[in-house]
């Protein structure tokens, strides 16, 4: 587990009409501030990586499909510097991943249908607040499987 990353179990309430999937409450110990919420739809086998936020706290939950979510820690003073962490997120494996600033992260849709990843971020998106790298950048020692 990468230092500062928090995994929180989330509640689902099912009945004959469908399912309510909880994600974030302002009285949760995880909640810091509301910036914005958005949904990232990803096609099967597509990769959205790598990015690192300078200020933003990410709060991800997968509400549709299946996502392989990968984190890389290159923070100077972190106990987990150089470590990779992989997680599988889906409605069947439903939890919140809270990612502090300065941790590289990205994800791949590993399912057979479109996936939807929700993010309730701590600050609104700004172009000057994010750093991006190619999914195949050798700076991050990770190989996305099944990709040619």
């Amino acid at each position: 587990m990468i230092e500062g990353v928090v995994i929180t179990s989330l509640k689902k309430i099912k009945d004959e009409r469908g399912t309510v999937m909880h994600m974030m409450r302002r009285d949760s110990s995880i909640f810091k501030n509301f910036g914005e919420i958005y949904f990232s739809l990803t096609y099967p086998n597509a990769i959205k990586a790598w990015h690192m936020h300078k200020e933003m706290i990410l709060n991800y939950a997968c509400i549709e499909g299946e996502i392989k979510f990968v984190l890389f820690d290159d923070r100077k003073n972190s106990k987990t510097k150089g470590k990779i962490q992989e997680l599988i997120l889906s409605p069947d494996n439903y939890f919140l991943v809270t990612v502090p600033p300065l941790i590289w992260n990205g994800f791949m849709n590993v399912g057979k249908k479109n996936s939807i990843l929700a993010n309730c971020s701590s600050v609104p998106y700004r172009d000057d607040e994010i750093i991006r790298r190619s999914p195949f950048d050798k700076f991050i020692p990770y190989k996305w499987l099944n990709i040619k």
Side-chain angles (χ1 to χ4, degrees), residues 12-63:
K12 295 191 305 184
I13 303 168
K14 291 183 180 186
D15 66 19
E16 69 282 354
R17 302 165 297 163
T19 304
V20 171
M21 300 170 77
H22 286 227
M23 181 177 168
M24 177 68 74
R25 295 171 51 110
R26 74 175 184 192
D27 60 355
S28 166
S29 63
I30 296 301
F31 180 81
K32 299 301 178 210
N33 196 37
F34 178 76
E36 68 177 312
I37 188 164
Y38 66 83
F39 304 93
S40 183
L41 185 139
T42 308
Y43 302 129
N45 296 314
I47 301 170
K48 293 186 177 181
W50 294 101
H51 67 276
M52 185 263 297
H53 290 277
K54 299 173 191 174
E55 301 169 27
M56 185 183 289
I57 298 170
L58 307 168
N59 292 287
Y60 284 131
C62 183
I63 61 170

Side-chain angles (χ1 to χ4, degrees), residues 84-145:
I84 295 280
Q85 183 175 357
E86 290 180 315
L87 301 162
I88 298 295
L89 288 70
S90 73
D92 293 331
N93 195 30
Y94 191 59
F95 52 88
L96 186 72
V97 181
T98 302
V99 182
L102 305 176
I103 293 181
W104 290 97
N105 64 94
F107 53 92
M108 177 182 179
N109 180 344
V110 294
K112 296 186 184 323
K113 61 182 181 176
N114 292 344
S115 64
I116 300 174
L117 189 65
N119 179 23
C120 181
S121 67
S122 63
V123 297
Y125 175 86
R126 295 188 334 265
D127 281 337
D128 67 337
E129 190 273 333
I130 189 170
I131 300 171
R132 297 182 186 276
R133 290 183 178 269
S134 159
F136 310 106
D137 190 318
K138 295 189 185 323
F139 172 79
I140 298 173
Y142 186 79
K143 185 170 181 168
W144 297 95
L145 300 178

